[in-house]
Structures are given as structure tokens and as C-alpha cells.
Amino acid sequence: MAALLKQSARLGLSGRHGQVFCRLPWALSFQRYMFNANKKILVEMDKSTGVALMKMANPPVNLLNLETLTEFAISMEKLELDKDCKGLILTSSLSKVFTAGLDIMEMCGKSPEHVTEFWRAVQEMWLKLYGSNLVTIAAINGFSPGAGCLMALACDYRIMADNVKYSIGLNETQLGIVAPFWLVTRELRPSLFS
Ligand SMILES: CCCCCCCCCCC/C=C/C(=O)SCCNC(=O)CCNC(=O)[C@H](O)C(C)(C)COP(=O)(O)OP(=O)(O)OC[C@H]1O[C@@H](n2cnc3c(N)ncnc32)[C@H](O)[C@@H]1OP(=O)(O)O
């Protein structure tokens, strides 16, 4: 963990005035590669450190819609297959939002098939993150309601930008959505499973 945090500091993930700045070298060496499918999820993998930086990049608020969730799962799979990858830092490319959580519009006025596919993708994201073999760190650089909070909880470690304006929490009940019991008990009461 300490080594990973050192790496995250070296990568430029340092909190200052409530921001987590991501400064990465412009010139990428052969030890570094980047990939993205549709640019909603940006991944920069540094083979020399074994640390991948994954940035959600779906402006304006990094909504977790079907497309983004699918891209997230594909990106996780690629990193899991990379034997050089040991750790993952999950953050946002936006200045004040980590993610606004699930895209409510994906659940509103859509066909049962679409809603089923969407919730399958949501669960897949949780499985990929919570079940990852990588050491996972959420660098929460902005607002993180609902599934944003759950994403952070699914990581091994969490660091949040020091800014009183930013909030994080499970607010989905205000929208009539209830997180499944297995998720809440596993993430909030892990002692039940040990
Ligand atoms: C690993 C996890 C796995 C989970 C496994 C299973 C989990 C099951 C249970 C999951 C339960 C989770 C549920 C949710 O996530 S529900 C969503 C909760 N999120 C919110 O309530 C966010 C509400 N948004 C805000 O508070 C603000 O937008 C925010 C503070 C984030 C940013 O404010 P800002 O002023 O910068 O931006 P705007 O408010 O103007 O927003 C811009 C546009 O985006 C639209 N928007 C915002 N949030 C959502 C959303 N969640 N869904 C759809 N649309 C959203 C907003 O309406 C604006 O749209 P317009 O420009 O058209 O007005």
C-alpha cells in the first residue's frame, strides 16, 4: 500500500486546495501504454511501476450509463490480463465530480430488456472492482454520490480530495433505489463474511 501511494504521489496524484491533480509525462516511454475503447474510460498503464491510472471521462458528470459501464468492464479485464499490472488508481478526469453515479435516465422509460442489461452491467462493474486481483485505490477528486460511493467502497483503499464542498454517500434511497443487501453487507459489514 505504501509503495502504491508513493507511486500515486510520483504520478502526481496529490491533494491540494481540494483538487487531486493528475500530472503525467506527455512523452510516453515504451514502458507505458494507454488504451481506451470509446474514450469514456482512459487508462494509462506504467509497466515500470506496475500501476495503472484509470480516469472516468464522461462529461459533464461522469454518469455511469451502459456504455461507460461496459467500457469499464473491458478495461478492467485488459488490466487483469496484464501480468505487469499490480495496482489500479481509479479517478476522474473532471475537475469537481468523481462520478454522479448511475445514469437515472437508463432506468426511466426504457424497455425491460434494456433495464435488465443495464443492471447486469452495474453488477458486473461491482464484481470486476470488488473481486479484482489488483490493489485498487479510489482517488476521489470530487462529488461521489450513489454508485460513485459504492465504487469507492469496492476499492481496497480510498483517498478523497480535501474540499468541504465535495460530498460522498449513499443517497439513492432518496430516488427510490435501494442497494441490494448483499452489496451493503459485504461492503459496509465485511466482518459478516470473514
Ligand atoms: C462498483 C459499484 C457497483 C454497484 C453494484 C450494484 C449497486 C446497486 C445499487 C446502486 C445504487 C446507486 C444508485 C445511484 O447511483 S442513483 C444516482 C445518484 N446520484 C445522484 O443523485 C447525483 C445527482 N447529481 C448531483 O448531485 C450533481 O449533478 C453533481 C453534484 C454530481 C454535479 O453538479 P453540477 O452542478 O456540476 O452538474 P449538474 O447537476 O448541472 O448536472 C449536469 C447534468 O447531469 C445530469 N445528472 C446529474 N446526475 C445525474 C444522474 N445520476 N443521472 C442522470 N442525469 C444526471 C443533470 O440533470 C444535468 O443535466 P442537464 O444538463 O440536462 O440539466
Side-chain angles (χ1 to χ4, degrees), residues 60-61 63 96-97 100-105 107 119 122-123 125-126 129 143 145-148 150-151 154 171-172 175 177-180 182-183:
V61 290
L63 285 179
K96 61 170 192 166
V97 181
L102 301 186
D103 185 345
I104 293 160
M105 301 316 288
M107 301 173 257
W119 278 104
V122 173
Q123 290 180 38
M125 173 173 72
W126 186 76
L129 207 47
F143 288 98
L150 288 168
M151 267 184 115
N171 68 326
E172 67 272 3
L175 303 165
I177 304 169
V178 182
W182 52 265
L183 180 127

Side-chain angles (χ1 to χ4, degrees), residues 42-116:
L42 310 176
V43 180
E44 296 169 9
M45 168 61 195
D46 187 339
K47 281 188 175 282
S48 67
T49 61
V51 178
L53 181 66
M54 184 186 282
K55 290 192 265 188
M56 292 177 277
N58 187 20
V61 290
N62 278 341
L63 285 179
L64 300 171
N65 54 21
L66 185 55
E67 188 186 354
T68 307
L69 291 169
T70 305
E71 212 182 303
F72 176 85
I74 293 169
S75 300
M76 284 297 293
E77 267 168 35
K78 283 186 186 168
L79 292 176
E80 294 278 353
L81 287 172
D82 184 341
K83 61 178 175 26
D84 294 325
C85 186
K86 308 288 182 227
L88 168 71
I89 298 168
L90 175 64
T91 192
S92 162
S93 67
L94 309 180
S95 61
K96 61 170 192 166
V97 181
F98 181 65
T99 161
L102 301 186
D103 185 345
I104 293 160
M105 301 316 288
E106 291 278 27
M107 301 173 257
C108 178
K110 294 286 194 310
S111 68
E113 291 76 21
H114 182 93
V115 175
T116 303

Side-chain angles (χ1 to χ4, degrees), residues 2-56:
L4 264 178
L5 286 175
K6 276 184 199 158
Q7 293 301 347
S8 69
R10 205 174 68 75
L11 284 167
L13 275 169
S14 57
R16 189 169 164 235
H17 304 307
Q19 300 263 344
V20 175
F21 294 107
C22 303
R23 294 186 306 273
L24 285 159
W26 293 106
L28 301 177
S29 74
F30 70 97
Q31 286 187 306
R32 199 179 282 272
Y33 68 80
M34 302 170 72
F35 66 78
N36 58 69
N38 294 309
K39 297 194 171 72
K40 305 280 187 215
I41 301 287
L42 310 176
V43 180
E44 296 169 9
M45 168 61 195
D46 187 339
K47 281 188 175 282
S48 67
T49 61
V51 178
L53 181 66
M54 184 186 282
K55 290 192 265 188
M56 292 177 277

